Amino acid sequence: MIRADGRRPDELRQVTILRGWQEHAEGSALISAGRTRVLCAASVTTGVPRWRKGSGLGWVTAEYSMLPRATDTRNDRESVRGRISGRTHEISRLIGRSLRACIDLKALGENTIAIDCDVLLADGGTRTAAITGAYVALVDAARWLGRPDAIITSVSAVSVGVVKGEAMLDLAYSEDSTADTDMNVVCTGADGFVEVQGTAEGTPFDRTMLDSLLDLAVRGCAQLTAIQTEALRGPVPAGPPRPGGAR
Amino acid sequence: MIRADGRRPDELRQVTILRGWQEHAEGSALISAGRTRVLCAASVTTGVPRWRKGSGLGWVTAEYSMLPRATDTRNDRESVRGRISGRTHEISRLIGRSLRACIDLKALGENTIAIDCDVLLADGGTRTAAITGAYVALVDAARWLGRPDAIITSVSAVSVGVVKGEAMLDLAYSEDSTADTDMNVVCTGADGFVEVQGTAEGTPFDRTMLDSLLDLAVRGCAQLTAIQTEALRGPVPAGPPRPGGAR
Amino acid sequence: MIRADGRRPDELRQVTILRGWQEHAEGSALISAGRTRVLCAASVTTGVPRWRKGSGLGWVTAEYSMLPRATDTRNDRESVRGRISGRTHEISRLIGRSLRACIDLKALGENTIAIDCDVLLADGGTRTAAITGAYVALVDAARWLGRPDAIITSVSAVSVGVVKGEAMLDLAYSEDSTADTDMNVVCTGADGFVEVQGTAEGTPFDRTMLDSLLDLAVRGCAQLTAIQTEALRGPVPAGPPRPGGAR
Amino acid sequence: MIRADGRRPDELRQVTILRGWQEHAEGSALISAGRTRVLCAASVTTGVPRWRKGSGLGWVTAEYSMLPRATDTRNDRESVRGRISGRTHEISRLIGRSLRACIDLKALGENTIAIDCDVLLADGGTRTAAITGAYVALVDAARWLGRPDAIITSVSAVSVGVVKGEAMLDLAYSEDSTADTDMNVVCTGADGFVEVQGTAEGTPFDRTMLDSLLDLAVRGCAQLTAIQTEALRGPVPAGPPRPGGAR
Amino acid sequence: MIRADGRRPDELRQVTILRGWQEHAEGSALISAGRTRVLCAASVTTGVPRWRKGSGLGWVTAEYSMLPRATDTRNDRESVRGRISGRTHEISRLIGRSLRACIDLKALGENTIAIDCDVLLADGGTRTAAITGAYVALVDAARWLGRPDAIITSVSAVSVGVVKGEAMLDLAYSEDSTADTDMNVVCTGADGFVEVQGTAEGTPFDRTMLDSLLDLAVRGCAQLTAIQTEALRGPVPAGPPRPGGAR
Amino acid sequence: MIRADGRRPDELRQVTILRGWQEHAEGSALISAGRTRVLCAASVTTGVPRWRKGSGLGWVTAEYSMLPRATDTRNDRESVRGRISGRTHEISRLIGRSLRACIDLKALGENTIAIDCDVLLADGGTRTAAITGAYVALVDAARWLGRPDAIITSVSAVSVGVVKGEAMLDLAYSEDSTADTDMNVVCTGADGFVEVQGTAEGTPFDRTMLDSLLDLAVRGCAQLTAIQTEALRGPVPAGPPRPGGAR
C-alpha cells in the first residue's frame, strides 16, 4: 500500500534538524518532519526548584505549545483563554519525562534545564518531533554548561498507528485523524523503551497488531537516532557566554 | 517473592463494587481495590455538546478528582488553587477515552453521560479503579435511559509495574512509588487493548519485560471483568425516575 | 402537622456518625442526617500560617465542597469552573468560625488543623451536618496530637425554618426549598450560641416566630450533642502514627 | 458607659444620605454613617438573567466592593488578585437578598436592577450602611422605571455587638474589632426581620444577651427608616432620560 | 466654533482639586474636570518590591479603575470578570510612568508609594485627570514621609483631539467619541514632555495638525500646573500619624 | 557618532520579509529587522464579532506574543502564569489599531482577519517589526479573500529614540534599554501619522527633540514602505484553497 504522500508504510517523513536557530538559548534546534516544524529551546538556570534543593540533583522540565495558526484553522491562545488545556499539559509532561530518561541528574548538578517546544507548523506527530528535537537542544545545553557527560543515552520518539487495518510509521495529520489506533513510542539510543502510549480510537487492537506497531516504532527511532547524531556532529553553535569563561 | 501485603506477584488486591451508593445519580458505583476507594457516578443529560449537535451521536465524558485527605498528607483542592493540575486533566481524559471504547455512541442517541470519579481513599491504582468502577455506573445509566444495547463490550483497567526487577500486578502505593516501570492497561472484556500507557521511571524497559507486563495485565483485566459482571447481576438499584415512565 | 417523611415539626432526622472512615486522616467522621451524607476529615500539620507565627496560638480552618452528583442534577465542579462560588466560600467560613469556638487555640499550640467537609449526598442541612460531623473529627485530631484538653466545649448545628407558617426543626431539601424563613444555628454543648443566621426568603419574620425558631434549634442541638458524645466514646480509631510515639 | 466617640450604647452614629451623586445612574446615594462612606448606584436594564426569562418576574442583584485605600492600610484590589474574596461574596449576597425583600418582583416586570455598593471610606458597619443606602438608590431606580409601587416596604440595616460585656448599637471599627459578639440585623420598615446574622467572636452569647441585641437593632433600624424616608422626600434627582419619555 | 458645552476650542473644562478626601491615605485628592471625577489616593509603605531591594531607590506605582456605574451604562467589574482589561493595564502603566517622571527615586529612599485612581464619574479625559490629581496626592505623601524634596518637578496631563477637522483641548466624552484623532499629553511644570500618545481613530493626521495639537496641550498643561500649585498651598491636611513622630 | 553595530544614527537595520512561511495561514510573513524576528500570520474567518453583526463592516484584530526564549533570559509563558501582562495587552491593541488604519472595513465585508504576531527572536523594536510584517500578511489575506481593494493604504512602523543626547532611528535592544526617550511611530504610505507614542524614560524631552525624532521616523517608515512593496510583488504564495474556487 502506498500512502498519500507516496511513502511506504514503514517509511519516515524527511527529517531535518537545524541547531542554534534561537540564538539567545543555551541550546536550540528547529526540527522539521515533513510539514511539521517545531522550535526547541533549552534554557539553563543555576539552581533547582525549591522541593529539590540540597539534593545534589539537577532538574529538566518541558513546556509544549502551538502557535495559533500552526494548524489548518486558527486556535485561540491558551494565554488568552487563561487556561492550559489538558492536551497541552499531557504533552508537556510526556516531553519532560522522556528527556529526564536520557540525563544523569546527579551529573547535571543543581542546575535546571527548561525545554520549550513551540510548534510553528503542525502536520501530525508534533509531540514526537518535539522530543526528538528537544534532545538535540538538551545536549547543546549540557555542553554549554560544561557537563556533556550528564547525557547518558539519546532519546527519540515517533508515532505509529493502524490506518485502514495496516500498521504504519510516522503518521501525517490526515492519516492520524483517520487512524484506528494511535501510538507514540519513545526509545533510547540503546534500544530501551521510555514511553509506550497506545490508544484505540475506534476498534480495540489485539496483541499481534501491538507487536507490529512496536516493531515499526523501534526501527523508526533507530533512524531518528542516526539523524540526531549527525546533527550533533560539529562545533557547538554560538550561544550566550559560558559560565566562568570566554565564549 | 512475597509482597508487603502478602500477595503473589500476579495477584489482584481484593476488589468490591457497590452499586447505587450515590442515590441521586442515574448510575453509581463505589469501588474498593485494597485500600483504594473511588466513588463513580454517571449523570445522564438529554442533548450533546454544541460541536456534536445534529450528528445523531451521543457523548461520554469523565472527570477525575481526589478528596484533599484521600492521601497520606493533605493536598490542596484544585478549586482553591484555581487550576486543574496536569495529572488530573490527563487522568480525566484517559477515563473518558476508555469508556467511549465500550459504548456505541449512535445507539446512545443524542444523550450525554458524564462520569464523575472521586477518590475517597488512595492507595495506588486510583485511575484504573476509577475506570473499572465507572464502567459499572455507565451500564446502569444506559439501562436507566432504556438503551442497554448501547454498551457493546465491557472495559476494565489495571496497573502493572516492575518492582525490584520483577513484573507485578496491581501495585499498591508503596510499590508504585518505588517501581522502575509503571504501566496502566485498559482492556475490553473481549481481549482487546483500549489503552497501553507504560512509563520507565528509572531504567528503560526492554521488549521481554514489556511482554511480561502485558501478560499480567491481560489476566488481571479478565478477573476484573468477572467481578464487574457479578456486580451488574441483579435489579437496577433505585435511582431517579426514568424518562417517560414509572421508576 | 405531619411532615412528608413522617416526622413531627420538632423532630430531627436520624443521625449517625462513623469515626475513622477516611483512614489516612488524623481525625475523620462520616455523618448521615437522613439522606444527607458528609465526609469530614481533620488534617494536622505542625506550624501555623505566616500571619500567626510566633503567637503561640494554633489555627483551625475549614473547607466545604460538594461532589458534582451529590444533588438531584449534576453541578459543575468548582475546580473546572476555575472559581469557588460565593455559597461555598460562605459555608467554609461558617464552619471554620464555628469550630474555632470550641477550641482553645493556645492549648493547641502552634499547630494547624484543616477540616475538609465533602458532601457525598445532599438532602438539605449539609452545612449544619458538616459542622456537627467536623466537631467529631476535630476531637480525634486533638487527641491524636496529644492535646485533648484544647477542646473546651462541643459544637453542633442544626437548621430550623418556617414552612407553611409553622416552625420546624432540621429541614429536608424539599422543605427547605419552600420555606419562608431558613435559619442555621450553631450552639455549644454548654447552651451558648456561636452563630445565628436567619434569612427571610419570602415574608419577613416577626419576633415571636424568631423566638420559636431559637427554641427548636436549642433543643435540636442538645440532641446532636448527645449523639456526638456517644460517637466519641470508645478508643481512638486507628490513624496515622502519632508524633513522637508508637501508634 | 460612654463610648470612645462619646456616644451612648444605644446611639447611632450621624447618618446622612445624598441622592443622585453618581449622576449617570438611574438611582444613586452616597451614605455616610460616622466616618464610613458608601456610594450606592442602582442600574436598570431591560430584561432578566437567562434562568428567569419568561417568568414575568424582575431581578435585583448587588455587588459590594471597597476602594483599596478605604481602610487604614491599603488592600490589594480583587481585580488584580484575580479573585473575589469570600468576605466580598458573602456581603454581596447579603445585600442582594436584603433588597429583594423590599420589592415585589412581579410588579417590577422583567427588568433587572443591579446595585453597586462601593465603600469609599471604611470605619465599621460598611455592609449595613450599604444596605441602608442601597434602598434609597433602589427606590429612585423604581421611580425612574415608572414602577414605584414595586417597592412594598423599606429595608434598613444596622450592626450591634457585645463590647466589654455590654450590648451596643452601630459599632465603629475600633469597637467592632474588639467585640465578643457581632451581629448584623436587617429589618423592614414594618418591623419584620429580613436577616439576623450573629457571630460569637470569642465567648458564646446566651439567650438574654441575644434578646438585648435584637432590641437595640430594632430601635436602630426604626431611626434609619426615618432618615431614609426624609432623604426620599422631594423630587427625583436628575438622571438619565426615562424610557419612552421626557426626563 | 463653539463647543456643545459652550467652550472655545482652546478652553479647559472647570477643574477643582480637593485634598484629603480619603482620610486614611497619606495623600489623597478628589479631582473634578467638568463632569469627570476621579478619587486619587497615595499609600506609603516602607520598603520596595523585591527586584529593587538594596538599590537605595524608592518606587512609585499606580492602579486605575472605574466604578461600574461611572459611565452611561453599567460596566462589569474587572474583579468579577476575573481579568483586568487591556485598557486598564495600559492606563495604569501610563499613570505610573508619568508620576515617576516627577520624583527623584533616590531622594525617596527605599519607600514605595502606590497611587490608586478610581474614577467615580466619567465624562472623557479620565486618565489625564487621574494623572493631574495623582500628582497632588503624591506631593502630600512625600511631605508626610518627610521627603518633600523628592518631588523634583510637577506633572499634569490633558487630552487634545481633532473634532470635525479642528484641534480642540480637553475633550468631553461626546467629543472624544467622535474625534478623528485623540492625543494624551503629559508635561512637566518645566515645559518638558513626559508622554505623547496620539492615535488616529479615522483619518491619519499630518505634521501640521500634530503641531497644533501639541501647542494646545502645552498651554492646557500650564493652566493645570497653576491649579495644582494653588491646591497644594496651605497646610498638609490631617492624615495618618507620621512615622517617628507626632502628627 | 557611530553606533555599536556600525550604523549611522539615521540608518535602519537590515530588514527582510518572507511571505508564506506559515503555510496554513491565508497570509503570513516572517520579518527580520537585524536580530529581531517576528512571525506574522493573518487568519480569515467569515463573520464578525457579535457586537458588529449586521453592520456590513469587517473587523481586524491582533495578538502579540513572545516565545519564552526569544530573549536573553527565559520568560515564563503567559499561558502558564494564567494572565496576559499589561505590556502584551498594550502592544496587541497597538497592532490592531494600526492595521485597521490601512483597511476599508466596509470593503472587507463581514469578515474577520485575526493577525498573530509571535516574536521568535527579540533584539528591540519587536512591536514595530510586528506592524510592518503584519501589513504584508494582511494584504495577502485580503487578496486571498478576493478583496484586495479593501487595502486603502500601507502601514509601517519604526522606533526612534534619544540615546546619549542624540536622536536615533530603529533602536536595537542595547540602545533601547539605555535610551532617555523611546518613541514608536506608525505611518501610512501616504505620509500620514497613525500612532505617535513617545515616552521619556529619564529626562523629559523638549519640542526641538520631538521634531527631530518625528523627522527620523517619517524617513524610516518611507524606507520600510518600499521594502513592503517589494515583498508584495510577485504571485500570492500558495495558501489554503480560496473560498468558492480553485486555489
Side-chain angles (χ1 to χ4, degrees):
Chain A
M1 180 172 148
I2 297 295
R3 297 157 77 173
D5 53 8
R7 285 187 287 153
R8 293 185 317 275
D10 64 348
E11 192 177 347
L12 284 180
R13 291 181 288 182
Q14 186 175 359
V15 174
T16 60
I17 301 178
L18 294 178
R19 284 157 78 202
W21 208 77
Q22 213 171 13
E23 57 187 280
H24 296 309
E26 284 78 29
S28 74
L30 177 64
I31 182 169
S32 304
R35 298 205 310 171
T36 286
R37 218 177 298 167
V38 185
L39 183 50
C40 307
S43 298
V44 174
T45 48
T46 303
V48 285
R50 202 174 331 162
W51 52 270
R52 212 174 174 84
K53 268 186 187 143
S55 66
L57 302 174
W59 187 238
V60 173
T61 184
E63 288 179 11
Y64 167 96
S65 187
M66 227 186 235
L67 293 201
R69 199 55 202 278
T71 45
D72 249 17
T73 55
R74 188 178 182 274
N75 292 298
D76 286 344
R77 288 174 194 272
E78 297 189 320
S79 59
V80 169
R81 274 182 288 160
R83 318 199 150 208
I84 292 181
S85 75
R87 178 182 179 276
T88 296
H89 265 305
E90 197 169 324
I91 298 177
S92 294
R93 287 157 52 92
L94 169 66
I95 299 172
R97 279 200 313 272
S98 298
L99 293 176
R100 287 192 293 273
C102 74
I103 201 157
D104 176 348
L105 293 171
K106 186 164 197 122
L108 185 60
E110 289 206 6
N111 295 294
T112 296
I113 302 181
I115 308 281
D116 287 290
C117 299
D118 286 87
V119 179
L120 306 184
L121 202 62
D123 186 28
T126 60
R127 81 188 70 186
T128 50
I131 292 168
T132 304
Y135 167 75
V136 171
L138 180 66
V139 170
D140 271 336
R143 291 178 179 171
W144 180 89
L145 251 178
R147 300 188 185 243
D149 298 342
I151 306 292
I152 50 179
T153 183
S154 70
V155 151
S156 64
V158 77
S159 77
V160 287
V162 182
V163 181
K164 295 185 190 137
E166 191 169 357
M168 289 197 182
L169 179 65
D170 191 17
L171 308 187
Y173 178 72
S174 61
E175 294 170 331
D176 186 52
S177 58
T178 60
D180 271 329
T181 291
D182 180 27
M183 183 175 289
N184 293 296
V185 178
V186 185
C187 290
T188 66
D191 270 354
F193 291 98
V194 171
E195 289 272 342
V196 174
Q197 296 199 340
T199 298
E201 302 289 347
T203 334
F205 51 97
D206 63 18
R207 187 69 175 266
T208 310
M209 181 55 86
L210 176 51
D211 285 338
S212 305
L213 292 171
L214 291 167
D215 290 345
L216 271 184
V218 167
R219 261 180 287 144
C221 284
Q223 293 175 54
L224 291 167
T225 302
I227 293 168
Q228 289 172 323
T229 305
E230 179 59 33
L232 282 163
R233 222 180 289 273
V236 181
R242 285 225 190 70
R247 219 172 143 134
Chain B
M1 181 172 149
I2 298 295
R3 298 156 76 173
D5 54 8
R7 285 187 286 153
R8 294 184 315 275
D10 64 347
E11 192 178 347
L12 285 180
R13 291 180 289 183
Q14 187 176 357
V15 174
T16 60
I17 301 177
L18 293 178
R19 286 158 75 201
W21 209 79
Q22 213 172 13
E23 57 187 279
H24 295 310
E26 284 77 29
S28 73
L30 176 64
I31 183 168
S32 304
R35 298 205 310 170
T36 286
R37 218 177 298 167
V38 186
L39 183 51
C40 308
S43 298
V44 175
T45 48
T46 303
V48 285
R50 200 173 334 161
W51 51 270
R52 212 175 173 84
K53 269 188 187 144
S55 65
L57 302 174
W59 188 239
V60 172
T61 183
E63 288 178 11
Y64 167 96
S65 187
M66 227 185 235
L67 293 201
R69 199 54 202 279
T71 46
D72 251 17
T73 55
R74 186 177 184 275
N75 292 299
D76 286 344
R77 289 173 193 272
E78 299 190 318
S79 58
V80 168
R81 275 183 287 160
R83 316 201 151 207
I84 292 181
S85 75
R87 179 183 177 275
T88 296
H89 266 305
E90 197 170 323
I91 299 177
S92 293
R93 287 158 52 92
L94 169 65
I95 299 173
R97 279 200 312 271
S98 298
L99 293 176
R100 286 193 292 274
C102 74
I103 201 159
D104 175 349
L105 293 170
K106 186 164 196 126
L108 185 60
E110 289 206 4
N111 296 294
T112 296
I113 301 182
I115 308 282
D116 287 289
C117 298
D118 285 87
V119 179
L120 305 185
L121 203 61
D123 186 28
T126 60
R127 78 188 71 186
T128 50
I131 292 169
T132 304
Y135 167 73
V136 172
L138 180 66
V139 170
D140 271 336
R143 290 177 179 173
W144 180 90
L145 252 179
R147 300 188 184 242
D149 297 343
I151 306 292
I152 50 178
T153 182
S154 70
V155 151
S156 64
V158 77
S159 77
V160 288
V162 182
V163 181
K164 295 182 190 140
E166 190 169 356
M168 290 197 183
L169 179 65
D170 191 16
L171 306 188
Y173 178 72
S174 61
E175 295 171 329
D176 185 53
S177 58
T178 61
D180 271 330
T181 291
D182 181 27
M183 182 176 290
N184 293 296
V185 178
V186 185
C187 290
T188 66
D191 271 353
F193 291 99
V194 172
E195 288 273 341
V196 173
Q197 295 199 340
T199 298
E201 303 288 347
T203 336
F205 51 97
D206 63 18
R207 187 69 175 267
T208 310
M209 181 55 86
L210 177 51
D211 285 338
S212 304
L213 292 171
L214 291 168
D215 290 345
L216 271 184
V218 166
R219 262 181 286 145
C221 283
Q223 292 174 54
L224 291 167
T225 302
I227 293 168
Q228 290 171 323
T229 305
E230 180 58 33
L232 281 164
R233 220 181 292 274
V236 181
R242 286 223 190 71
R247 214 170 150 139
Chain C
M1 180 173 149
I2 298 295
R3 298 156 76 173
D5 54 8
R7 286 186 286 153
R8 293 184 316 275
D10 64 348
E11 193 177 346
L12 285 180
R13 291 181 287 182
Q14 187 175 358
V15 174
T16 59
I17 302 177
L18 294 178
R19 285 157 77 201
W21 208 79
Q22 213 172 13
E23 59 187 278
H24 294 311
E26 285 77 29
S28 74
L30 176 64
I31 183 170
S32 304
R35 299 204 310 171
T36 286
R37 219 176 297 167
V38 185
L39 183 52
C40 307
S43 298
V44 174
T45 48
T46 302
V48 285
R50 201 174 332 161
W51 51 271
R52 212 175 173 83
K53 268 187 188 143
S55 66
L57 303 173
W59 187 239
V60 172
T61 184
E63 287 178 11
Y64 166 96
S65 187
M66 227 185 235
L67 293 202
R69 200 53 202 278
T71 45
D72 251 17
T73 54
R74 187 176 182 277
N75 292 298
D76 286 344
R77 288 173 194 273
E78 298 189 320
S79 58
V80 168
R81 274 182 287 159
R83 318 200 149 207
I84 292 181
S85 74
R87 179 183 178 275
T88 296
H89 265 305
E90 197 170 323
I91 298 177
S92 294
R93 287 157 52 93
L94 169 66
I95 299 172
R97 280 200 311 271
S98 298
L99 293 176
R100 286 192 292 274
C102 74
I103 201 158
D104 176 349
L105 293 171
K106 187 165 196 125
L108 185 61
E110 289 206 5
N111 295 293
T112 297
I113 302 182
I115 308 282
D116 286 290
C117 298
D118 285 87
V119 179
L120 305 185
L121 202 63
D123 186 29
T126 59
R127 80 187 70 185
T128 51
I131 292 169
T132 304
Y135 167 74
V136 172
L138 180 66
V139 170
D140 271 336
R143 290 177 180 173
W144 180 89
L145 251 178
R147 300 188 186 242
D149 298 342
I151 305 292
I152 51 179
T153 183
S154 70
V155 151
S156 65
V158 77
S159 77
V160 287
V162 182
V163 181
K164 295 183 191 138
E166 190 168 356
M168 289 197 183
L169 179 65
D170 191 17
L171 308 188
Y173 177 72
S174 60
E175 295 170 330
D176 185 53
S177 58
T178 60
D180 270 329
T181 292
D182 180 26
M183 183 175 288
N184 293 296
V185 178
V186 184
C187 290
T188 66
D191 270 354
F193 292 98
V194 172
E195 288 274 341
V196 174
Q197 295 198 340
T199 298
E201 303 289 347
T203 335
F205 51 97
D206 62 20
R207 187 68 175 267
T208 310
M209 181 53 87
L210 176 51
D211 285 338
S212 304
L213 292 171
L214 291 167
D215 290 344
L216 271 185
V218 167
R219 261 180 286 145
C221 282
Q223 293 174 54
L224 291 167
T225 301
I227 293 168
Q228 289 171 323
T229 305
E230 180 58 33
L232 282 163
R233 220 180 291 273
V236 181
R242 286 225 186 69
R247 222 178 141 133
Chain D
M1 180 173 149
I2 297 294
R3 298 156 77 172
D5 54 8
R7 285 187 288 153
R8 294 183 316 276
D10 64 347
E11 193 177 345
L12 284 180
R13 292 181 287 182
Q14 188 176 357
V15 174
T16 59
I17 301 176
L18 293 177
R19 285 158 76 201
W21 209 79
Q22 213 171 14
E23 58 186 279
H24 295 310
E26 285 78 29
S28 73
L30 177 63
I31 183 168
S32 305
R35 297 204 311 170
T36 286
R37 219 177 298 165
V38 186
L39 183 50
C40 307
S43 299
V44 175
T45 48
T46 303
V48 285
R50 201 174 332 161
W51 51 270
R52 213 175 172 83
K53 267 187 190 145
S55 66
L57 303 173
W59 187 238
V60 172
T61 183
E63 288 178 11
Y64 167 96
S65 187
M66 225 185 237
L67 293 202
R69 200 53 202 279
T71 45
D72 251 18
T73 54
R74 185 175 186 277
N75 292 298
D76 286 344
R77 288 173 194 272
E78 298 190 320
S79 58
V80 168
R81 276 182 287 161
R83 317 198 151 210
I84 292 181
S85 74
R87 180 183 177 275
T88 296
H89 266 306
E90 197 169 322
I91 298 177
S92 294
R93 288 156 52 92
L94 169 65
I95 299 173
R97 280 200 311 272
S98 298
L99 293 176
R100 287 192 292 274
C102 75
I103 200 157
D104 176 349
L105 293 171
K106 186 165 196 122
L108 186 59
E110 289 205 5
N111 295 294
T112 297
I113 301 181
I115 308 282
D116 287 289
C117 298
D118 285 87
V119 179
L120 305 184
L121 202 62
D123 186 27
T126 60
R127 78 188 71 184
T128 50
I131 292 169
T132 304
Y135 167 74
V136 172
L138 180 66
V139 170
D140 272 336
R143 291 177 179 172
W144 180 90
L145 250 179
R147 301 189 184 243
D149 298 342
I151 305 292
I152 51 180
T153 182
S154 71
V155 151
S156 65
V158 78
S159 78
V160 287
V162 182
V163 181
K164 295 182 190 142
E166 191 169 355
M168 290 197 182
L169 179 65
D170 191 16
L171 309 187
Y173 178 71
S174 61
E175 295 171 329
D176 185 52
S177 58
T178 61
D180 271 329
T181 291
D182 181 27
M183 183 175 288
N184 293 296
V185 178
V186 185
C187 290
T188 66
D191 270 354
F193 292 99
V194 171
E195 288 273 341
V196 173
Q197 295 198 341
T199 298
E201 302 288 347
T203 336
F205 50 97
D206 63 18
R207 186 68 176 268
T208 309
M209 181 54 87
L210 176 51
D211 285 338
S212 304
L213 292 170
L214 291 167
D215 289 346
L216 272 184
V218 166
R219 262 179 287 146
C221 282
Q223 293 174 54
L224 291 167
T225 302
I227 293 168
Q228 290 172 322
T229 305
E230 180 58 34
L232 281 163
R233 221 180 292 273
V236 181
R242 286 227 187 69
R247 218 173 145 134
Chain E
M1 180 172 149
I2 297 296
R3 297 158 76 174
D5 55 8
R7 285 187 286 153
R8 295 183 315 276
D10 64 348
E11 192 178 346
L12 284 180
R13 291 180 289 181
Q14 187 176 357
V15 174
T16 60
I17 302 177
L18 294 178
R19 284 158 77 202
W21 209 79
Q22 212 172 14
E23 58 186 280
H24 295 310
E26 284 78 29
S28 73
L30 176 63
I31 184 169
S32 305
R35 298 204 311 171
T36 286
R37 219 177 298 166
V38 185
L39 183 51
C40 307
S43 299
V44 174
T45 48
T46 303
V48 285
R50 201 173 334 160
W51 51 270
R52 213 176 172 84
K53 268 186 188 144
S55 65
L57 303 173
W59 188 238
V60 172
T61 183
E63 288 179 11
Y64 167 95
S65 188
M66 226 185 234
L67 293 202
R69 199 54 203 278
T71 44
D72 250 17
T73 54
R74 186 177 183 275
N75 292 299
D76 286 344
R77 288 173 194 273
E78 298 189 320
S79 58
V80 168
R81 274 182 287 159
R83 318 200 150 209
I84 292 181
S85 74
R87 179 183 178 275
T88 296
H89 265 305
E90 197 169 324
I91 298 177
S92 294
R93 287 157 53 92
L94 169 66
I95 299 172
R97 279 200 313 270
S98 298
L99 293 176
R100 287 192 292 274
C102 75
I103 201 158
D104 175 347
L105 293 170
K106 188 167 195 120
L108 185 61
E110 289 205 5
N111 295 293
T112 296
I113 302 181
I115 308 282
D116 287 289
C117 299
D118 285 88
V119 179
L120 305 185
L121 203 61
D123 186 29
T126 60
R127 79 187 71 184
T128 51
I131 292 168
T132 304
Y135 167 74
V136 171
L138 180 66
V139 170
D140 271 336
R143 290 177 179 173
W144 180 90
L145 250 179
R147 301 190 184 242
D149 298 343
I151 306 292
I152 50 178
T153 183
S154 70
V155 151
S156 64
V158 77
S159 76
V160 287
V162 183
V163 181
K164 295 183 191 139
E166 190 169 357
M168 290 197 182
L169 179 64
D170 191 17
L171 308 188
Y173 178 72
S174 60
E175 294 170 330
D176 185 53
S177 58
T178 60
D180 270 330
T181 291
D182 179 28
M183 183 175 290
N184 293 296
V185 178
V186 184
C187 290
T188 66
D191 270 354
F193 291 99
V194 172
E195 289 273 341
V196 173
Q197 295 199 341
T199 298
E201 302 288 347
T203 334
F205 51 97
D206 63 18
R207 188 67 176 267
T208 310
M209 181 54 87
L210 176 51
D211 285 338
S212 304
L213 292 170
L214 291 167
D215 290 344
L216 271 184
V218 167
R219 261 180 286 146
C221 283
Q223 293 175 53
L224 292 167
T225 301
I227 294 169
Q228 289 172 323
T229 305
E230 179 58 35
L232 281 164
R233 221 179 292 273
V236 181
R242 286 224 188 69
R247 220 173 142 139
Chain F
M1 182 172 146
I2 298 294
R3 298 157 75 173
D5 54 8
R7 284 185 288 152
R8 293 183 317 274
D10 64 347
E11 192 178 346
L12 284 180
R13 292 181 286 182
Q14 186 176 359
V15 174
T16 59
I17 301 178
L18 293 178
R19 284 157 78 202
W21 209 78
Q22 213 171 13
E23 56 187 281
H24 295 310
E26 284 78 28
S28 74
L30 177 64
I31 182 168
S32 304
R35 298 204 312 170
T36 286
R37 218 177 298 165
V38 185
L39 183 51
C40 308
S43 298
V44 175
T45 48
T46 303
V48 285
R50 200 173 335 159
W51 51 270
R52 214 176 171 82
K53 268 187 189 144
S55 66
L57 303 173
W59 188 238
V60 172
T61 183
E63 288 179 10
Y64 167 95
S65 187
M66 228 185 233
L67 293 202
R69 199 55 202 277
T71 46
D72 250 16
T73 55
R74 186 178 183 275
N75 292 298
D76 286 343
R77 289 174 193 272
E78 298 190 318
S79 59
V80 168
R81 276 183 286 159
R83 317 199 150 209
I84 291 180
S85 75
R87 178 183 179 276
T88 296
H89 266 305
E90 198 169 323
I91 298 177
S92 294
R93 287 156 53 91
L94 169 65
I95 299 173
R97 279 199 311 272
S98 299
L99 293 176
R100 286 193 292 274
C102 74
I103 201 158
D104 175 349
L105 293 171
K106 186 163 195 126
L108 186 60
E110 290 206 5
N111 296 293
T112 296
I113 301 182
I115 308 283
D116 287 289
C117 298
D118 285 87
V119 179
L120 305 185
L121 203 62
D123 186 27
T126 60
R127 79 188 71 186
T128 50
I131 292 169
T132 305
Y135 167 74
V136 172
L138 180 66
V139 170
D140 271 336
R143 290 177 179 172
W144 181 91
L145 251 179
R147 301 188 184 242
D149 298 343
I151 305 292
I152 50 179
T153 181
S154 71
V155 151
S156 64
V158 77
S159 78
V160 287
V162 182
V163 181
K164 295 184 191 139
E166 190 169 358
M168 289 197 181
L169 179 65
D170 191 16
L171 308 187
Y173 178 72
S174 60
E175 295 169 330
D176 184 52
S177 59
T178 60
D180 271 330
T181 292
D182 181 27
M183 183 175 289
N184 293 297
V185 178
V186 185
C187 291
T188 66
D191 270 353
F193 292 98
V194 171
E195 289 273 341
V196 174
Q197 296 199 339
T199 298
E201 303 289 346
T203 336
F205 51 97
D206 64 17
R207 187 68 176 267
T208 310
M209 181 54 87
L210 177 51
D211 285 338
S212 304
L213 292 171
L214 291 167
D215 290 345
L216 271 184
V218 166
R219 262 179 289 144
C221 283
Q223 293 174 53
L224 292 167
T225 301
I227 294 169
Q228 289 172 323
T229 306
E230 180 59 34
L232 282 163
R233 222 180 291 273
V236 181
R242 288 227 186 69
R247 221 176 142 128

